[in-house]
Amino acid sequence: MDNLKGMIIRGSVVRLGGQAANFALRLSVMAALARLLDPQDFGLVAMTTVVTGILQLFTTAGLSSATVQQDTVTNEQMSTLFWVNLGIGIVLALLCAATAPALVEFYHEPRLFWLTIVAGLGFLLSAVAVQHSALLQRQLRYTTLTVIEVLSQVVSFAAGVAMAVGGLGYWAILGMTLISTVVYTVCVWVAAAWIPGPPRRTVGVRGMLSFGGIVTLNSLVVYVAYNFEKLLLGRYWGADALGIYERGYRLVNLPTAELNAAIGGVAFSGLSRIQNDLPRLRNYFLKGYTIVLSMTLPITVFCAVFVDDIVEIVLGPKWRDTVIIFRLLTPTILVFGIINPLAWLLYSAGLQVRSLKIALVIAPLVIAAYLIGLPYGPTGVAFAYSAAMVLWLIPHIFWCLHGTLISPRDLLFAAGRPLIAGVAAAAVALVVQLCLGDSELHFLRLLLGGCIIAAIYLWMLLFLMGQKTVYFDLFKELQGALSMRTHEKQAG
């Protein structure tokens, strides 16, 4: 693609805008449901994720990533992968229904039976959309994908809140998920305008299936590692304790999850297109890494300093026990902000096996941490989890970068200036918090604190750290990319 750089920049900006909208929507619905439902409702749904969360990883079977990562892909290959995904979706729906009695027995909670069976419908619905979504990603049609995602979220959130107001309790949470999947599936079919043909055995999909299998296994290991504590808390501390932990975990991860979702897909697609042009791959990755970390750091500082106000405004007074969970998990925002982009590099460069090996080391490390913290309840688990991830940070970086064109020194140089600016902003923010005292004006504290953090951080990063030219050049490239897009439309 001659205009790959412009397409990546446009796609990243569009995705950031879309994820910002999604973030606002998710935050709004989180606030609404937190006031309409009880911790037990969230705990019940979280209990089903022991099964549904793991099975969800197999819905795509990594085949969407395989479609995006390939240099070339034929219609016959995509059609065959579509039918593979559909078959997997049917099997997963049946497996989910079959595990319902076991979940009821494990948690001693009969309400989980029908909740788990109905949740299984989501696997079938998701499977139908996998290749259509991958086709749009491969074509870097991120404006279309963003509109579809925002639309599906708006419709599902409206339905979820209506169901909660109607007194449907935990069914509102599940219904919201299923409605979102239905809207998304219908829209990607319409947008892709692609009808799959019949499956064929000899179309060269074996390599893609192998890639997808490794990606899926990697996702499975990572999922188990980062969610095993919820199984333990639900089993030994009950639905209420799990609900408190799950809301704190979800709230603290929401900003960076949206950020990674916004840029990660575009970065993977773009880097995959230039996987054989190593100098260009290195340059693009380091620029993208710097930008992502520059956005992650002020979020980390803001969450760490104003956690009480965030929980009070978003979740409400009955969720104050979530504050300590949120505070203990805050270091993981920075850790994941540093290590998540490394996955773009590994997958786009075809190093998915290394990523799997790394996951196989992370899993026992964090599970051991959960077990150490479990006797102390949700707070003990949160502290142990954060400590394990902080200790793992440096080994993770060195392992990911070993043998690649990017050295740990390159990464440190890319991250150093944002880190220094973040430390300065954190120091000022702490002083501001002390000056504001224990005021009950939570929104005012957040607004004032957020503006001060942003001002100090940007001043340090752009002027004292000498990054003004870098970001102004990026802005000019964006203007050029948008201008070129306008000319292309007019010429067409």
Side-chain angles (χ1 to χ4, degrees):
M1 296 181 180
D2 296 331
N3 192 30
L4 178 62
K5 187 175 184 179
M7 295 180 73
I8 292 175
I9 293 174
R10 286 198 304 270
S12 298
V13 172
V14 169
R15 293 296 283 174
L16 281 172
Q19 291 304 129
N22 273 333
F23 173 73
L25 288 168
R26 289 180 184 276
L27 208 59
S28 299
V29 79
M30 185 181 287
L33 292 182
R35 289 161 172 78
L36 293 170
L37 304 177
D38 295 323
Q40 189 177 85
D41 294 317
F42 293 98
L44 286 169
V45 175
M47 286 176 175
T48 66
T49 59
V50 172
V51 171
T52 59
I54 292 177
L55 295 181
Q56 183 67 42
L57 301 174
F58 294 91
T59 304
T60 69
L63 299 181
S64 59
S65 298
T67 299
V68 174
Q69 197 268 345
Q70 289 289 302
D71 278 336
T72 59
V73 61
T74 66
N75 184 67
E76 290 77 12
Q77 287 175 325
M78 288 191 61
S79 295
T80 300
L81 295 179
F82 170 84
W83 293 107
V84 171
N85 282 128
L86 181 58
I88 292 172
I90 294 172
V91 171
L92 293 178
L94 294 174
L95 284 175
C96 190
T99 59
L103 272 183
V104 171
E105 182 67 23
F106 181 79
Y107 286 114
H108 309 296
E109 179 52 74
R111 287 175 291 181
L112 293 177
F113 183 79
W114 285 109
L115 194 64
T116 306
I117 290 176
V118 175
L121 296 175
F123 300 121
L124 183 59
L125 295 169
S126 297
V128 177
V130 171
Q131 290 304 313
H132 292 76
S133 179
L135 179 60
L136 295 175
Q137 291 179 57
R138 184 175 178 81
Q139 296 170 347
L140 295 175
R141 293 176 59 187
Y142 283 102
T143 301
T144 301
L145 279 170
T146 299
V147 171
I148 292 172
E149 289 173 2
V150 172
L151 176 62
S152 63
Q153 296 291 353
V154 169
V155 174
S156 66
F157 290 166
V161 171
M163 292 171 71
V165 171
L168 294 179
Y170 51 85
W171 287 108
I173 305 172
L174 178 58
M176 189 168 59
T177 302
L178 293 177
I179 291 170
S180 175
T181 305
V182 170
V183 175
Y184 182 85
T185 299
V186 172
C187 288
V188 293
W189 269 71
V190 173
W194 174 68
I195 304 297
R200 296 181 181 179
R201 291 185 179 181
T202 58
V203 291
V205 297
R206 181 169 296 181
M208 300 174 73
L209 291 172
S210 175
F211 181 94
I214 294 173
V215 170
T216 300
L217 182 56
N218 184 31
S219 299
L220 174 63
V221 174
V222 170
Y223 180 85
V224 171
Y226 295 151
N227 289 275
F228 193 72
E229 86 277 33
K230 299 176 185 65
L231 182 148
L232 294 173
L233 287 171
R235 178 66 177 81
Y236 294 103
W237 288 86
D240 285 328
L242 177 57
I244 293 292
Y245 178 90
E246 191 272 341
R247 284 295 88 183
Y249 182 93
R250 185 68 60 88
L251 184 58
V252 79
N253 280 286
L254 184 58
T256 48
E258 295 292 338
L259 181 60
N260 192 60
I263 298 180
V266 182
F268 173 53
S269 300
L271 294 174
S272 294
R273 301 283 74 76
I274 56 172
Q275 57 184 286
N276 297 318
D277 186 351
L278 297 182
R280 198 177 179 197
L281 177 69
R282 177 182 181 276
N283 182 48
Y284 278 27
F285 172 78
L286 287 175
K287 281 188 176 181
Y289 186 86
T290 301
I291 292 169
V292 169
L293 194 58
S294 296
M295 290 187 283
T296 301
L297 276 161
I299 295 173
T300 305
V301 172
F302 182 73
C303 290
V305 176
F306 295 101
V307 54
D308 297 86
D309 302 297
I310 292 171
V311 171
E312 190 73 26
I313 288 177
V314 177
L315 299 181
K318 68 179 179 181
W319 293 88
R320 284 174 182 161
D321 289 342
T322 303
V323 169
I324 184 62
I325 305 297
F326 191 109
R327 181 173 285 117
L328 290 171
L329 290 175
T330 298
T332 64
I333 301 176
L334 180 57
V335 172
F336 284 115
I338 293 173
I339 68 175
N340 279 344
L342 298 176
W344 315 340
L345 178 66
L346 294 179
Y347 282 143
S348 61
L351 297 175
Q352 65 274 7
V353 175
R354 179 183 299 183
S355 181
L356 174 59
K357 291 178 180 178
I358 293 172
L360 290 171
V361 173
I362 293 177
L365 174 68
V366 295
I367 289 174
Y370 300 149
L371 293 173
I372 292 172
L374 185 63
Y376 305 96
T379 56
V381 170
F383 175 78
Y385 173 43
S386 286
M389 292 308 301
V390 170
L391 291 173
W392 172 249
L393 177 61
I394 300 301
H396 185 98
I397 292 173
F398 275 84
W399 196 353
C400 285
L401 299 181
H402 177 70
T404 68
L405 283 180
I406 298 170
S407 67
R409 183 177 180 179
D410 292 330
L411 207 68
L412 179 61
F413 185 77
R417 291 181 176 87
L419 284 171
I420 294 172
V423 171
V428 174
L430 286 172
V431 173
V432 170
Q433 186 190 49
L434 291 175
C435 293
L436 292 175
D438 296 325
S439 170
E440 293 297 320
L441 301 174
H442 300 287
F443 183 78
L444 181 61
R445 284 164 57 92
L446 284 181
L447 181 61
L448 181 60
C451 290
I452 292 174
I453 289 173
I456 296 297
Y457 181 77
L458 290 174
W459 176 67
M460 286 284 297
L461 183 65
L462 298 181
F463 297 99
L464 287 188
M465 297 289 108
Q467 294 295 286
K468 180 176 66 174
T469 303
V470 175
Y471 288 93
F472 281 8
D473 287 345
L474 179 65
F475 180 71
K476 290 179 181 177
E477 290 177 350
L478 172 60
Q479 283 185 315
L482 293 176
S483 177
M484 185 176 294
R485 179 62 173 171
T486 303
H487 291 322
E488 288 173 356
K489 285 184 176 181
Q490 291 175 348

